[in-house]
C-alpha cells in the first residue's frame, strides 16, 4: 500500500456518513417533537457526553477505569461552586468545570501508566474515593453531606433562563454535546487519534515505530477527564444542585455498563448506550432504586456469561458498514 | 360583540367543568427514603400516611386524594428529580415527605417555582422553612430538643459534657444549641465531636469522647443510626464508666428501641413524641398503627406523617377543594390541633411546628422498652428562629 | 493509646481474614473478583440468623458460618465463575460488579437496609485492663482466632504436601498439570476456602464494622487496598499489610478525625507509586 493510498483510507474514515447526519437531525428534532420529555432528554445528553468520555479511556486507550466519576464530580462541583460564588454564567462554568477536571486528569494520568489492569483499577477507584472523602469533609466548600446550596445559575448566553420544564436545559445540553462530539470526532480521525488506537492495538509495536506511548495515554486521559468534567458541569447547571452523589461509585459503574451496552471504540456507542440506559431506567423508574440495582447487576452478569461479542456483535458490524469498510 | 351562542357555550362549559374540576383527584407526591440507610423513616411515614387515609377516607372537600409514593433512597439528586417529575408529569397538588435535611433543601426551589406546598414530615434543621414560602413542617426542629436537653442536664447536676453529632445540618443545629444553652447555664463542654453522615464509624470517636472523661455525652445521629451508637457505647464499657448517655429522641427511636437491649435502660432523652405518651388520642393511634403494621411500633417519624396528612386535609377543607398552592399554605398557617404527640401549633409566621418537648427516660414497661415521659416543656418554639438576629 | 493499638490490630486481623481469600482469586487465579465482599456478607447474615434467630451459641456458629459461605462460594464458582476465567479483565470486572449489585439488592430486600448485629454472649462483652489499657474480650477473641488461622494457613502452605502442590500450581499451572496435579480442582478448593474465610471474617467483623447490605461495596475497597499494598499470592504479605492498614486507619480516625479516612487511601497511593507490585511481593 502506498503512502498516498494509506492517507486516503484514513481520510475517508474522517468524513461524515449519512446515518450520522440522520442521527443528529433526529436529536435536534427531538427538542421540537417531544416537548414532554425535555427532562429525560437532557439527562440522556449529559449521560451521553459522560459515556463518550469513558469511551476515550476504555475503548480507545484500553484503560479499565472504575473511578471515572471523579472527573464528572470534579466538573460538577467546580461549576456549582462558581455559581454559588456569583459567577453564574453557564458557559463560564462549563469551561471552568472542563478545564478543572482536565487538570485533575492530567495530574492523575501518570498513575495509570504503569501496572497491571488491577493496579489501574485500584488507582482509578481510589482517586474517586479520595475525591469523595474530600468533598465529604470540606463542607465549607462543597456543602458536604447537605449538598451545595445557593447556586444561582444565570441565563444561557444572557437570554435563556432555565425553566422548570427543562426546555432550555435540553437545548443547552444538546448543543454542548454536539459541539464536543464534532470536536472529538475530528480529533480521533487526526494523527493523534489514530496513534492512540495504535497504542491500544499493540503497545510495543507502537513504541517501536516511534509513537510516544506515555504522552499519548496522558493526552487521551486528560481529554477524557475534560469531557467528563463538562458533563458534570452540565448536570450541576441544569439541575441547579450538586451533592456527593456525583462522586459516588455507582456512577462509575453505571457509565461503564452504558458504554458496554452501546459498544466501545465507536464514539457513537456512548450515545446509543445512554439512550438505551436512560429509557430503560425511566420506564422502570417506578421501581425502587433497590430493584433497579438488582436488574442492573443481573444484566451485567448475563451479558458476560452469555458473551458480549455474541450480544453486541451487531452494532460493531453495523458501524463497520457505516464507515464503508 | 359576544354572540348569544358563545355565552351559551361558555355557560355549558362552566357547568360541565365545575364537577369535572371537583372530580380531578388531588395528587400528593410523597417522596421518601424507602431504601438505604434511612429506610425505617420512609416505612414509618408511609405506614402513617396510609393509616390516616384509611381512618379518614380518601375524599376531602369533594376531591379524591391520590398519594404517589416515590423512593429517593436518601439521595438529594434523586429527590429533586422525582419532585420535578411529579410536578411536571404527574401534576401533583402537594409534595410531602423529605426524610433528611439535604433532600428538603434540594427541593425547596422547585416548590417555590411551581407554587406547590411542600409538607416536610421528617427533616429537622431549623432553616428549612426559610428556603421557600411554600414549606410547612409537621415533624420537629432540632434546636428545640437540643435546648431542652441542655436545660435538663444543667438542672440535674451534670456539669461537664461532650457532644457527638453527625456532620450535617441537623447535627450542627443540635450541637450549636446544646452547647449554647448548656454553657449559658454554667456547664462545660469538653469536646465537640462530629462524625460523617455517610460512613459512620463510631468506635474511634466514642473512644475519644470517653477519654475526655465528661459526666455526660450528648448524642445526635439520624434515626437509622441510633442503635449502632448505643451498641458501641455499651461495648466500650462507657455506660459503666460513669458517663451518662443523653441525647435527642432520635437516638432512642421507638421503632428500634427494643432491639437495643438493656444497655439503654436509664438513658435520658428529650423528644416530642413517645409511643407511651399517656393520652387517649395516642393510645388509639398506636393501637391502630400496630394493627395495620404487625411488628412495627410508631415512632416520631410516623406521627409527623400522620399529622402532615391531617394538616393537608384540614387545609383543603378550609380553603376549598379547588385551592391552589398559596391558598393551601395560608390555610395551614396558624393551624392548631390535637396530635397523638400532644398539642401542635403551626406558627403563622415561620410555618414551623410548635409543640411540647418531653424529657423521657428509657424504662421497661410490660416487657418492652419505652421512653417514659417525666417532664414537659410546653409549646416550645424554635429557639433558632426566635433568637434576635445579630 | 494502647487501647487504640489493640483496636487497630483487631481491625487489621479482620481485614486479613477477609482479604486472604481474595489473594487467592486475584493473585493466584488472576481473576479480578470484586464480589469477594459478598461472601463476607453472606457469612455475616448467616451469623445473624444462626445466633439471633435460631439461638446457636456464638462460638459454635463461627465454623458453621464459614461452611455456609464456602458452600455458596463453591456453588457460584462451579456455575458462574468458570465461564469467566478465560475472559478479559473488563468482563471480569463487569461480572463481579454485577454479582455484587444482585447480592446487595437481594439481601436488602430480604433483611432490610438497616445495620444488624449479632447478639454476643455475655462473656464476650466484658472488658479487662491490661497494662493500663482497656481491652475488650471480643477483640481479644478476634485476634486469637485470626492469629491462629494465619499460622495454620502458613503451616499448610509451607509444610504439607497439599501446600506444596498448591505452590506448584501457583508458580506454573501448565507444568503442574503436566505433573499430574489437578490444577482445576485445587483452584476450586482454594476458592471455596477463601470464601469460607471471608464468611468467617464477615461474621466476626459484624460487631466492629457494622453489617448492612452495602457491606460488599464498602469493604471491597479496603480489601483491594490490603492486597495491593501487601502483594497478592502469599500469606505474609496481606497479613502485614492488613495489620499496618488496620492500625493506621483506627489511629488516624482517633488522633486526626478530620483526616481519618484519607490515611488508608494515601498509604495505598504512596505504595503504588513506589512499588506497584506491592510491599511484600517476591520480586
Amino acid at each position: 500500500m502506498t503512502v498516498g493510498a494509506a492517507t486516503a483510507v484514513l481520510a475517508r474514515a474522517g468524513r461524515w456518513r449519512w446515518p450520522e447526519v440522520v442521527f443528529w437531525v433526529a436529536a435536534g428534532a427531538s427538542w421540537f417533537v417531544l416537548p414532554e420529555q425535555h427532562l429525560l432528554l437532557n439527562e440522556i445528553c449529559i449521560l451521553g457526553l459522560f459515556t463518550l468520555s469513558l469511551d476515550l479511556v476504555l475503548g480507545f486507550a484500553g484503560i479499565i477505569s472504575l473511578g471515572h466519576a471523579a472527573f464528572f464530580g470534579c466538573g460538577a462541583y467546580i461549576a456549582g461552586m462558581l455559581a454559588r460564588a456569583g459567577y453564574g454564567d453557564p458557559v463560564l462554568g462549563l469551561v471552568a468545570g472542563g478545564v478543572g477536571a482536565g487538570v485533575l486528569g492530567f495530574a492523575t494520568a501518570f498513575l495509570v501508566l504503569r501496572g497491571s489492569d488491577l493496579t489501574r483499577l485500584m488507582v482509578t477507584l481510589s482517586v474517586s474515593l479520595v475525591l469523595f472523602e474530600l468533598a465529604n469533609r470540606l463542607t465549607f466548600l462543597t456543602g458536604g453531606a447537605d449538598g451545595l446550596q445557593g447556586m444561582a445559575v444565570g441565563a444561557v448566553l444572557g437570554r435563556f433562563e432555565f425553566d422548570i420544564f427543562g426546555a432550555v436545559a435540553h437545548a443547552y445540553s444538546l448543543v454542548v454535546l454536539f459541539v464536543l462530539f464534532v470536536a472529538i470526532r475530528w480529533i480521533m480521525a487526526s494523527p493523534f487519534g489514530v496513534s492512540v488506537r495504535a497504542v491500544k492495538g499493540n503497545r510495543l509495536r507502537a513504541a517501536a515505530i516511534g509513537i510516544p506511548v506515555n504522552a499519548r495515554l496522558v493526552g487521551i486521559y486528560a481529554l477524557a477527564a475534560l469531557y467528563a468534567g463538562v458533563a458534570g458541569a452540565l448536570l450541576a447547571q441544569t439541575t441547579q444542585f450538586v451533592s456527593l452523589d456525583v462522586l459516588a461509585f455507582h456512577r462509575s459503574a453505571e457509565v461503564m455498563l452504558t458504554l458496554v451496552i452501546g459498544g466501545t471504540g465507536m464514539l457513537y456507542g456512548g450515545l446509543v448506550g445512554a439512550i438505551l440506559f436512560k429509557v430503560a431506567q425511566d420506564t422502570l423508574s417506578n421501581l425502587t432504586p433497590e430493584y433497579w440495582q438488582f436488574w442492573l447487576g443481573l444484566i451485567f452478569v448475563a451479558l458476560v456469561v452469555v458473551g458480549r461479542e455474541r450480544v453486541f456483535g451487531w452494532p460493531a458490524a453495523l458501524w463497520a458498514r457505516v464507515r464503508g469498510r | 360583540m359576544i354572540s348569544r351562542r358563545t355565552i351559551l357555550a361558555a355557560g355549558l362549559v362552566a357547568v360541565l367543568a365545575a364537577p369535572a374540576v371537583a372530580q380531578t383527584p388531588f395528587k400528593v407526591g410523597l417522596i421518601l427514603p424507602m431504601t438505604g440507610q434511612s429506610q425505617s423513616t420512609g416505612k414509618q411515614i408511609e405506614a402513617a400516611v396510609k393509616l390516616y387515609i384509611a381512618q379518614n377516607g380518601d375524599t376531602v372537600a369533594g376531591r379524591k386524594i391520590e398519594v404517589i409514593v416515590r423512593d429517593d433512597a436518601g439521595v438529594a439528586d434523586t429527590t429533586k428529580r422525582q419532585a420535578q417529575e411529579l410536578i411536571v408529569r404527574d401534576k401533583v397538588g402537594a409534595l410531602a415527605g423529605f426524610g433528611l435535611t439535604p433532600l428538603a433543601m434540594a427541593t425547596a426551589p422547585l416548590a417555590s417555582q411551581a407554587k406547590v406546598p411542600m409538607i416536610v414530615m421528617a427533616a429537622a434543621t431549623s432553616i428549612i422553612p426559610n428556603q421557600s414560602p411554600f414549606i410547612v413542617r409537621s415533624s420537629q426542629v432540632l434546636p428545640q430538643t437540643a435546648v431542652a436537653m441542655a436545660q435538663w442536664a444543667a438542672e440535674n447536676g451534670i456539669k461537664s459534657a461532650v457532644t457527638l453529632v453527625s456532620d450535617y445540618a441537623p447535627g450542627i443545629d443540635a450541637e450549636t444549641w446544646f452547647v449554647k444553652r448548656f454553657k449559658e447555664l454554667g456547664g462545660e463542654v469538653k469536646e465537640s465531636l462530629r462524625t460523617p453522615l455517610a460512613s459512620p464509624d463510631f468506635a474511634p470517636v466514642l473512644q475519644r469522647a470517653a477519654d475526655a472523661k465528661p459526666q455526660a455525652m450528648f448524642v445526635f445521629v439520624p434515626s437509622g443510626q441510633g442503635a449502632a451508637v448505643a451498641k458501641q457505647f455499651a461495648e466500650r464499657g462507657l455506660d459503666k464508666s460513669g458517663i451518662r448517655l443523653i441525647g435527642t429522641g432520635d437516638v432512642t427511636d421507638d421503632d428500634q428501641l427494643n432491639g437495643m437491649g438493656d444497655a439503654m435502660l436509664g438513658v435520658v432523652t428529650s423528644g416530642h413524641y413517645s409511643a407511651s405518651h399517656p393520652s387517649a388520642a395516642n393510645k388509639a393511634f398506636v393501637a391502630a398503627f400496630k394493627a395495620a403494621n404487625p411488628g412495627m411500633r410508631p415512632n416520631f417519624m410516623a406521627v409527623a406523617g400522620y399529622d402532615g396528612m391531617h394538616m393537608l386535609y384540614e387545609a383543603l377543607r378550609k380553603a376549598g377543594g379547588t385551592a391552589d398552592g398559596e391558598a393551601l399554605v395560608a390555610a395551614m398557617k396558624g393551624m392548631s390541633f390535637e396530635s397523638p404527640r400532644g398539642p401542635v401549633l403551626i406558627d403563622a409566621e415561620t410555618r414551623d411546628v410548635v409543640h411540647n418537648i418531653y424529657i423521657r427516660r428509657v424504662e421497661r414497661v410490660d416487657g418492652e422498652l419505652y421512653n417514659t415521659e417525666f417532664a414537659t416543656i410546653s409549646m416550645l418554639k424554635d429557639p433558632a428562629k426566635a433568637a434576635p438576629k445579630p | 493509646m494502647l487501647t487504640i493499638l489493640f483496636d487497630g490490630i483487631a481491625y487489621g486481623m479482620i481485614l486479613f481474614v477477609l482479604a486472604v481469600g481474595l489473594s487467592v482469586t486475584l493473585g493466584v487465579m488472576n481473576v479480578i473478583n470484586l464480589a469477594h465482599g459478598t461472601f463476607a456478607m453472606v457469612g455475616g447474615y448467616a451469623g445473624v440468623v444462626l445466633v439471633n434467630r435460631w439461638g446457636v451459641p456464638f462460638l459454635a456458629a463461627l465454623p458453621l458460618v464459614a461452611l455456609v459461605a464456602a458452600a455458596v462460594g463453591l456453588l457460584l464458582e462451579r456455575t458462574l465463575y468458570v465461564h469467566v476465567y478465560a475472559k478479559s479483565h473488563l468482563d471480569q470486572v463487569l461480572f463481579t460488579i454485577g454479582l455484587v449489585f444482585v447480592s446487595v439488592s437481594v439481601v436488602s430486600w430480604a433483611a432490610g437496609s438497616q445495620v444488624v448485629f449479632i447478639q454476643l454472649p455475655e462473656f464476650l462483652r466484658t472488658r479487662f485492663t491490661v497494662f493500663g489499657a482497656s481491652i475488650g474480650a471480643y477483640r481479644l477473641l478476634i485476634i486469637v482466632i485470626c492469629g491462629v488461622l494465619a499460622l495454620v494457613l502458613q503451616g499448610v502452605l509451607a509444610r504439607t504436601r497439599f501446600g506444596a502442590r498448591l505452590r506448584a500450581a501457583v508458580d506454573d499451572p501448565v507444568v503442574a498439570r503436566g505433573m499430574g496435579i489437578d490444577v482445576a480442582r485445587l483452584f476450586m478448593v482454594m476458592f471455596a476456602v477463601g470464601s469460607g474465610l471471608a464468611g468467617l471474617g464477615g461474621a466476626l467483623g459484624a460487631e466492629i464494622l457494622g453489617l448492612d447490605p452495602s457491606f460488599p461495596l464498602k469493604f471491597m475497597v479496603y480489601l483491594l487496598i490490603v492486597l495491593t499494598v501487601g502483594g497478592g499470592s502469599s500469606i505474609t504479605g496481606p497479613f502485614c499489610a492488613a495489620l499496618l492498614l488496620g492500625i493506621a486507619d483506627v489511629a488516624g480516625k482517633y488522633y486526626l478525625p478530620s483526616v481519618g479516612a484519607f490515611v488508608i487511601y494515601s498509604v495505598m497511593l504512596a505504595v503504588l507509586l513506589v512499588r506497584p507490585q506491592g510491599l511484600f511481593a517476591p520480586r
Side-chain angles (χ1 to χ4, degrees):
Chain A
M1 196 186 241
T2 66
V3 171
T7 321
V9 168
L10 290 172
R12 216 174 352 141
R15 260 184 266 134
W16 285 75
R17 311 259 139 212
W18 66 263
E20 299 182 61
V21 175
V22 168
F23 179 86
W24 287 106
V25 167
S30 71
W31 194 88
F32 300 95
V33 170
L34 298 168
E36 291 270 294
Q37 306 292 348
H38 283 312
L39 290 176
L40 179 63
L41 290 167
N42 177 45
E43 285 183 29
I44 291 179
C45 289
I46 294 176
L47 182 62
L49 185 58
F50 186 31
T51 316
L52 181 65
S53 79
L54 184 66
D55 200 7
L56 295 176
V57 164
L58 188 56
F60 287 95
I63 300 172
I64 304 182
S65 166
L66 263 187
H68 209 57
F71 308 117
F72 184 79
C74 178
Y77 269 108
I78 291 179
M81 292 193 285
L82 271 180
R84 190 175 61 166
Y87 300 99
D89 181 47
V91 178
L92 174 67
L94 263 193
V95 171
V99 168
V103 166
L104 180 66
F106 182 77
T108 52
F110 73 96
L111 290 171
V112 298
L113 285 180
R114 43 190 204 142
S116 63
D117 272 342
L118 176 67
T119 319
R120 285 192 287 214
L121 205 80
M122 283 308 308
V123 165
T124 51
L125 185 59
S126 341
V127 167
S128 80
L129 286 172
V130 167
L131 224 63
F132 183 93
E133 273 302 310
L134 266 176
N136 199 7
R137 296 287 174 168
L138 301 174
T139 29
F140 66 95
L141 258 187
T142 62
D146 293 323
L148 203 63
Q149 308 291 343
M151 275 178 67
V153 182
V156 180
L157 298 178
R159 275 223 297 159
F160 306 101
E161 286 278 1
F162 285 106
D163 60 305
I164 195 175
F165 295 97
V168 171
H170 178 200
Y172 178 52
S173 302
L174 191 56
V175 167
V176 170
L177 174 65
F178 181 67
V179 166
L180 286 179
F181 184 87
V182 169
I184 198 70
R185 197 183 180 293
W186 181 83
I187 292 177
M188 293 320 281
S190 75
F192 172 81
V194 176
S195 64
V196 168
R197 251 179 284 174
V199 166
K200 182 187 180 206
N202 192 320
R203 212 158 150 154
L204 204 54
R205 244 186 244 172
I209 62 170
I211 295 178
V213 169
N214 282 350
R216 288 289 176 268
L217 286 176
V218 170
I220 196 82
Y221 197 75
L223 193 60
L226 189 143
Y227 269 56
V230 171
L234 275 177
L235 182 72
Q237 291 173 339
T238 52
T239 57
Q240 316 228 0
F241 185 71
V242 186
S243 82
L244 289 175
D245 192 60
V246 293
L247 290 166
F249 171 72
H250 74 88
R251 279 218 194 249
S252 298
E254 280 172 5
V255 73
M256 196 181 265
L257 175 66
T258 311
L259 180 61
V260 166
I261 307 177
T264 57
M266 297 187 290
L267 287 186
Y268 279 98
L271 305 180
V272 169
I275 297 175
L276 291 174
F277 184 87
K278 272 291 168 188
V279 168
Q281 191 182 47
D282 194 59
T283 39
L284 298 171
S285 70
N286 290 327
L287 297 179
T288 67
E290 213 167 55
Y291 294 127
W292 167 247
Q293 201 179 47
F294 175 79
W295 289 109
L296 202 70
L298 208 59
I299 292 174
F300 270 132
V301 171
L303 252 186
V304 173
V305 171
V306 166
R308 275 193 298 138
E309 328 72 48
R310 267 185 267 170
V311 180
F312 294 123
W314 61 268
L318 200 66
W319 181 240
R321 262 200 294 154
V322 164
R323 305 197 68 193
R325 257 189 254 118
Chain B
M1 225 321 255
I2 310 175
S3 76
R4 238 184 34 183
R5 234 205 262 163
T6 320
I7 300 177
L8 209 61
L12 205 64
V13 168
V15 163
L16 287 174
V21 165
Q23 252 42 300
T24 356
F26 184 89
K27 297 190 193 168
V28 179
L30 188 60
I31 310 178
L32 294 170
M34 301 299 291
T35 53
Q37 254 188 2
S38 317
Q39 186 187 39
S40 58
T41 303
K43 291 212 158 105
Q44 286 271 337
I45 296 181
E46 193 200 15
V49 165
K50 288 207 167 98
L51 179 66
Y52 190 87
I53 297 180
Q55 287 180 336
N56 294 277
D58 63 355
T59 315
V60 188
R63 296 192 64 180
K64 188 167 181 322
I65 304 287
E66 206 181 283
V67 173
I68 307 176
V69 179
R70 286 285 152 81
D71 178 9
D72 63 7
V75 177
D77 294 57
T78 316
T79 319
K80 195 163 180 168
R81 182 163 52 86
Q82 298 282 22
Q84 204 164 6
E85 277 175 25
L86 283 165
I87 294 174
V88 168
R89 281 206 238 171
D90 300 282
K91 308 209 179 7
V92 295
L95 290 169
F98 308 102
L100 293 170
T101 298
L103 315 181
M105 303 283 275
T107 319
L110 278 175
S112 301
Q113 220 180 345
K115 297 200 179 12
V116 168
M118 208 174 115
I119 305 177
V120 173
M121 294 174 171
T125 309
S126 171
I127 53 168
I128 289 178
N130 302 349
Q131 304 299 309
S132 163
F134 287 87
I135 294 182
V136 185
R137 177 159 34 200
S138 71
S139 51
Q140 56 159 336
V141 194
L142 268 163
Q144 290 169 332
T145 42
V147 148
M149 198 68 248
Q151 200 142 330
W152 182 88
E155 286 166 8
N156 282 271
I158 296 179
K159 304 235 184 323
S160 65
V162 162
T163 62
L164 170 60
V165 302
S166 290
D167 195 356
Y168 72 133
I172 298 171
D173 255 9
E175 180 194 278
T176 313
W177 284 91
F178 178 86
V179 167
K180 197 161 171 332
R181 187 54 65 92
F182 195 61
K183 281 193 176 157
E184 271 171 22
L185 296 171
E188 180 203 353
V189 176
K190 294 200 166 179
E191 259 208 88
S192 286
L193 298 166
R194 295 190 187 169
T195 163
L197 176 66
S199 43
D201 188 359
F202 296 114
V205 78
L206 275 175
Q207 187 64 41
R208 224 186 135 112
D211 288 346
K213 299 205 198 320
Q215 282 176 308
M217 180 150 47
F218 171 76
V219 174
F220 167 78
V221 288
S223 103
Q225 297 174 10
V229 176
K231 256 272 161 156
Q232 305 235 1
F233 187 81
E235 200 244 327
R236 301 212 145 247
L238 293 179
D239 52 343
K240 301 201 180 60
S241 69
I243 303 180
R244 293 192 72 165
L245 181 62
I246 59 176
T248 60
D250 315 74
V251 176
T252 53
D253 185 331
D254 269 305
D255 198 26
Q256 309 188 332
L257 192 52
N258 270 328
M260 296 190 205
D262 285 345
M264 299 302 283
L265 281 172
V267 170
V268 173
T269 56
S270 59
H272 62 286
Y273 178 72
S274 163
S276 65
H277 177 71
S279 79
N282 189 39
K283 286 197 173 31
F285 171 65
V286 174
F289 192 92
K290 279 188 175 172
N293 304 283
M296 264 170 87
R297 193 205 287 178
N299 65 5
F300 59 97
M301 299 292 186
V303 93
Y306 194 77
D307 290 341
M309 282 314 280
H310 180 81
M311 283 154 56
L312 183 64
Y313 270 46
E314 287 302 304
L316 273 169
R317 278 196 198 108
K318 243 179 54 183
T322 56
D324 68 347
E326 279 158 333
L328 282 174
V329 172
M332 288 194 233
K333 286 189 196 170
M335 202 186 268
S336 90
F337 55 93
E338 180 74 24
S339 144
R341 70 182 98 169
V344 171
L345 163 72
I346 304 298
D347 190 311
E349 262 180 44
T350 63
R351 286 165 280 109
D352 216 337
V353 59
V354 181
H355 48 199
N356 291 349
I357 301 294
Y358 308 94
I359 311 291
R360 319 91 61 87
R361 185 180 290 116
V362 177
E363 289 179 359
R364 194 166 277 279
V365 178
D366 293 331
E368 286 188 25
L369 292 175
Y370 281 95
N371 292 300
T372 310
E373 297 163 356
F374 62 89
T376 308
I377 302 175
S378 299
M379 298 311 273
L380 188 61
K381 275 198 189 196
D382 176 15
K385 293 203 196 58
K389 300 273 179 287
Chain C
M1 219 277 280
L2 273 180
T3 315
I4 291 296
L5 185 67
F6 190 78
D7 285 347
I9 295 179
Y11 184 46
M13 288 289 196
I14 295 187
L15 283 180
F16 165 69
V17 165
L18 288 171
V20 79
L22 190 55
S23 116
V24 164
T25 31
L26 216 48
V28 175
M29 295 153 82
N30 203 21
V31 174
I32 298 188
N33 180 16
L34 298 175
H36 190 68
T38 307
F39 303 115
M41 180 177 69
V42 165
Y45 275 93
V48 170
V49 167
L50 282 174
V51 174
N52 291 3
R53 286 220 217 134
W54 294 353
V56 175
F58 183 74
L59 289 179
L62 287 179
L64 290 176
V65 151
L67 280 172
V68 168
V72 170
L74 201 60
L75 181 69
L76 284 177
E77 201 264 348
R78 285 288 98 194
T79 51
L80 293 175
Y81 275 87
V82 279
H83 297 287
V84 163
Y85 287 148
K87 303 231 174 182
S88 72
H89 279 165
L90 174 61
D91 281 322
Q92 290 168 356
V93 166
L94 289 175
F95 172 74
T96 49
I97 290 183
L99 264 185
V100 171
F101 279 175
V102 168
S103 64
V104 166
S105 322
V106 167
V107 170
S108 201
W109 168 82
S113 311
Q114 69 277 8
V115 179
V116 290
F117 299 101
I118 302 181
Q119 279 162 7
L120 295 178
E122 202 45 61
F123 73 90
L124 281 177
R125 287 193 240 164
T126 54
R127 290 183 83 84
F128 337 87
T129 324
V130 173
F131 299 122
S134 164
I135 293 184
Y138 186 64
R139 282 190 168 75
L140 189 60
L141 181 74
I142 289 179
I143 294 183
V144 167
I145 291 183
C146 299
V148 166
L149 269 175
L151 286 173
V152 165
L153 285 170
Q154 184 63 15
V156 164
L157 206 58
R159 297 202 200 207
T160 64
R161 212 144 41 123
F162 178 76
R165 276 196 224 125
L166 211 66
R167 276 180 287 139
V170 167
D171 275 343
D172 198 331
V174 179
V175 173
R177 239 179 258 124
M179 305 212 27
I181 297 177
D182 191 341
V183 172
R185 218 166 71 103
L186 265 178
F187 282 178
M188 186 181 82
V189 167
M190 285 203 287
F191 193 91
V193 168
S195 311
L197 284 171
L200 180 66
L204 279 177
E207 272 299 300
I208 302 188
L209 306 171
L211 182 66
D212 69 2
S214 67
F215 189 88
L217 289 166
K218 270 194 290 187
F219 286 97
M220 170 182 77
V221 183
Y222 288 136
L223 300 187
L224 289 173
I225 292 180
V226 166
L227 277 189
T228 320
V229 169
S233 75
S234 75
I235 302 282
T236 41
F239 185 77
C240 299
L243 280 181
L244 175 71
L245 286 164
I247 297 175
D249 188 59
V250 173
K253 288 195 178 131
Y254 179 84
Y255 288 111
L256 304 159
S258 49
V259 176
F262 289 111
V263 176
I264 277 201
Y265 301 135
S266 322
V267 168
M268 193 209 71
L269 277 173
V271 170
L272 276 180
L273 280 177
V274 175
R275 272 177 70 99
Q277 64 274 33
L279 277 177
F280 302 95
R283 277 156 249 105

